[in-house]
Each structure stands twice: as structure tokens, then as C-alpha cells.
């Protein structure tokens, strides 16, 4: 009889109704908002947080199609990496894709939460996930800092399990991220052992990557002129903004499953990558 009581107690404890604000708090405990950059707008975007969660759709970007997928899959919460609202809206109508998405989310009673540069800068955040996909070891922040007593950093560095020649390294990165192509500078004529990473638009960390002693630097975007002058100093491997951050939803899923047991989660099937390769 006692075992039955324990089982029922476990069920009630772990599968009781969870409010959206509890999911929001769990995400912000992992990646506190003070970690975000000054220009960013992470956190609650649209919706009411006292509502119980029917399900959470996890994605990179929030679009009308993402809201439609959330509704179709029974989710009243969307957790994205890129914020739906970067700047304030003076009008909410059908003039822009952002305005239409906000209108649709409100109409369908779907709440939107975004964890952006705070998740980039958090330990075990976006860049640690990229390193995990590449099997890097001894991963640490590349440009470490402390924000309000919280350990944080921009980018990470780690070691490959075994050194690789440059062409094999690029092929391994392409396979791990399912990319059609990678933009690289001149192939390095020494083996690659230490790798620096910054998902998304990470070219601002290029000099830090060199200073860290990394043999290669993986990022999502890089300006044309930054490819000059680094020949045989570091292997650049640029794989696309969307592609570099595509596994961020896995972090959201891990946090929610651990901190809010019983909340159903699903990773979005809708691709929001606006760039096509022909």
C-alpha cells in the first residue's frame, strides 16, 4: 500500500500543472537576463505567464509559421533563441512579419519567451552545445567575464579528441551540422587540435580566438574583409548563422525536462532559415 501511495505522490509531484512563469524562471536561472548584451531583448516577449503550460515548442526564430505549428501541436508556449521583439513596436498591425506574428500569438493565446545572448554567454549554453556536437574536450570560455557575480563568457575553446588535418576537420564540421558548404580561408598546413567557437555572428571574437592559441575558429557569420590576413595563423570555418545555432533547442528541452518535469516539449519541425543554398 505504501508503494502505491509513493507512486501516486511521485506522479502528482512531477506531473502537476506547471505555469508558464515557472518555465520562464527555470530558463532564467540557467541563463540570467543580466548576462545578455546591452542591445538585446531576451526574456518574455508576448503573453501571460500565469497560464498553465499545455506544451512548449522550441525553436530558433519566431515566425507566423512557428506560431501555427505551436497551435497545431497543442503548445501554448514558444521558447526561441532569437527574440521576436528586438525593438519596441509603435504599431501592431499586418504591415510587417513581426507585427503579424505578434498579432497571431496574441490571437491564439500563445506565449513567447526568448533566451538569446544570455544563453550565448551562459556556462553550458549555446557555444558549449556546439562544442558538444563536435566532441571537444576540456571546453572553457574563450573570453571569460563576471556579470553581477555570475560566471559568463563569449565563445568557447576546446580540444579535439585527436588532431586532424584541415580538410578532414572541415568535412567533420560539415557533417556534424548538416551544412551544404562551409566558407573557409586557405586550408591550414598544420594539424588542428585546439578549436575556438562562437555561434551566430561571432566574427568579433576572431582576434580572441587567435590569442587563445586555437588552430581553428568556427562561427556562423563573418565579414568579407576579416578573411584577409589570417592565412596559416588560424583555420576559419564559417557554417551559417542558423546552422551554427540549430541545436540550441536541445538546451531548452534539457532545462525544461529537468526543472519542470511533466511539461511536454517538442522541437520545431518548421525551418526558419531565410538563406537558401543553390
Amino acid at each position: 500500500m505504501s508503494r502505491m501511495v509513493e507512486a501516486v505522490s511521485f506522479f502528482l509531484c512531477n506531473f502537476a500543472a506547471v505555469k508558464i512563469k515557472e518555465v520562464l524562471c527555470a530558463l532564467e536561472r540557467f541563463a540570467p537576463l543580466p548576462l545578455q548584451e546591452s542591445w538585446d531583448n531576451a526574456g518574455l516577449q508576448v503573453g501571460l505567464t500565469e497560464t498553465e503550460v499545455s506544451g512548449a515548442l522550441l525553436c530558433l526564430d519566431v515566425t507566423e509559421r512557428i506560431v501555427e505549428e505551436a497551435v497545431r501541436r497543442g503548445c501554448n508556449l514558444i521558447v526561441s533563441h532569437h527574440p521576436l521583439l528586438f525593438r519596441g513596436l509603435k504599431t501592431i498591425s499586418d504591415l510587417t512579419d513581426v507585427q503579424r506574428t505578434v498579432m497571431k500569438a496574441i490571437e491564439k493565446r500563445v506565449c513567447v519567451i526568448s533566451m538569446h545572448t544570455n544563453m550565448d554567454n551562459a556556462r553550458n549554453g549555446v557555444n558549449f552545445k556546439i562544442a558538444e556536437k563536435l566532441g571537444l574536450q576540456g571546453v572553457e570560455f574563450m573570453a571569460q567575464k563576471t556579470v553581477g557575480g555570475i560566471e559568463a563568457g563569449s565563445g568557447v575553446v576546446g580540444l579535439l579528441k585527436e588532431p586532424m588535418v584541415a580538410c578532414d576537420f572541415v568535412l567533420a564540421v560539415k557533417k556534424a551540422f548538416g551544412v551544404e558548404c562551409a566558407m573557409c580561408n586557405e586550408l591550414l598546413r598544420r594539424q588542428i587540435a585546439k578549436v575556438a567557437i562562437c555561434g551566430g555572428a561571432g566574427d568579433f571574437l576572431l582576434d580572441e580566438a587567435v590569442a587563445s592559441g586555437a588552430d581553428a575558429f568556427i562561427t556562423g557569420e563573418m565579414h568579407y574583409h576579416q578573411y584577409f590576413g589570417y592565412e596559416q595563423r588560424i583555420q576559419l570555418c564559417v557554417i551559417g548563422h542558423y546552422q551554427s545555432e540549430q541545436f540550441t533547442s536541445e538546451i531548452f528541452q534539457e532545462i525544461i525536462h529537468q526543472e519542470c518535469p511533466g511539461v511536454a516539449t517538442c522541437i520545431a519541425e518548421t525551418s526558419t532559415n531565410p538563406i537558401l543554398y543553390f
Side-chain angles (χ1 to χ4, degrees), residues 92-169:
I92 299 179
S93 66
D94 62 351
L95 293 178
T96 68
D97 59 337
V98 172
Q99 292 180 26
R100 289 191 296 272
T101 302
V102 170
M103 287 185 65
K104 181 159 287 188
I106 294 173
E107 175 191 355
K108 301 297 184 181
R109 296 182 179 275
V110 174
C111 185
V112 179
I113 293 170
S114 301
M115 297 283 111
H116 191 213
T117 53
N118 54 322
M119 188 61 72
D120 290 330
N121 293 332
R123 175 164 288 279
N124 297 320
V126 176
N127 295 307
F128 284 85
K129 176 61 71 172
I130 296 171
E132 176 190 313
K133 294 297 179 180
L134 293 170
L136 297 191
Q137 301 176 335
V139 180
E140 284 297 337
F141 288 116
M142 178 167 26
Q144 189 164 351
K145 54 189 175 183
T146 302
V147 180
I150 304 169
E151 180 192 32
S154 298
V156 298
V157 291
L159 298 174
L160 292 170
K161 292 179 180 178
E162 297 289 342
M164 304 175 71
V165 296
C167 58
D168 289 344
F169 171 76

Side-chain angles (χ1 to χ4, degrees), residues 222-255:
M222 184 167 289
H223 288 84
Y224 172 79
H225 292 286
Q226 288 184 286
Y227 286 84
F228 289 96
Y230 292 91
E231 296 84 0
Q232 298 310 312
R233 295 179 65 194
I234 193 167
Q235 180 66 63
L236 303 179
C237 188
V238 182
I239 61 175
H241 196 125
Y242 181 94
Q243 290 89 338
S244 69
E245 297 181 330
Q246 62 183 295
F247 299 114
T248 303
S249 293
E250 293 183 9
I251 306 174
F252 299 150
Q253 193 167 56
E254 291 161 6
I255 296 169

Side-chain angles (χ1 to χ4, degrees), residues 18-217:
V18 176
K19 292 184 177 181
I20 288 173
K21 69 178 182 181
E22 296 176 67
V23 177
L24 175 60
C25 288
L27 292 165
E28 290 185 1
R29 281 195 299 272
F30 184 94
L33 292 184
L35 299 188
Q36 70 179 313
E37 302 298 333
S38 59
W39 47 264
D40 201 6
N41 186 42
L44 178 66
Q45 307 283 297
V46 176
L48 303 175
T49 61
E50 289 291 339
T51 306
E52 293 179 0
V53 185
S54 64
L57 183 71
L58 316 175
C59 60
L60 197 64
D61 310 285
V62 187
T63 65
E64 289 184 88
R65 289 180 61 205
I66 286 290
V67 177
E68 291 165 359
E69 181 179 343
V71 173
R72 185 175 70 251
R73 301 180 73 175
C75 299
N76 65 349
L77 172 62
I78 292 171
V79 180
S80 72
H81 182 43
H82 296 143
L84 172 59
L85 301 173
F86 270 109
R87 303 170 187 85
L89 296 178
K90 293 184 177 181
T91 304
I92 299 179
S93 66
D94 62 351
L95 293 178
T96 68
D97 59 337
V98 172
Q99 292 180 26
R100 289 191 296 272
T101 302
V102 170
M103 287 185 65
K104 181 159 287 188
I106 294 173
E107 175 191 355
K108 301 297 184 181
R109 296 182 179 275
V110 174
C111 185
V112 179
I113 293 170
S114 301
M115 297 283 111
H116 191 213
T117 53
N118 54 322
M119 188 61 72
D120 290 330
N121 293 332
R123 175 164 288 279
N124 297 320
V126 176
N127 295 307
F128 284 85
K129 176 61 71 172
I130 296 171
E132 176 190 313
K133 294 297 179 180
L134 293 170
L136 297 191
Q137 301 176 335
V139 180
E140 284 297 337
F141 288 116
M142 178 167 26
Q144 189 164 351
K145 54 189 175 183
T146 302
V147 180
I150 304 169
E151 180 192 32
S154 298
V156 298
V157 291
L159 298 174
L160 292 170
K161 292 179 180 178
E162 297 289 342
M164 304 175 71
V165 296
C167 58
D168 289 344
F169 171 76
V170 173
L171 289 174
V173 172
K174 288 176 61 178
K175 181 178 180 181
F177 291 86
V179 299
E180 296 91 339
C181 64
M183 293 183 288
C184 304
N185 61 345
E186 178 181 274
L187 290 180
L188 207 62
R189 290 193 290 272
R190 67 172 189 271
Q191 288 196 318
I192 293 170
K194 189 174 186 179
V195 180
I197 294 169
C198 185
D203 55 7
F204 70 98
L205 282 175
L206 176 54
D207 288 332
E208 283 82 353
V210 174
S212 74
D215 303 301
F217 179 46

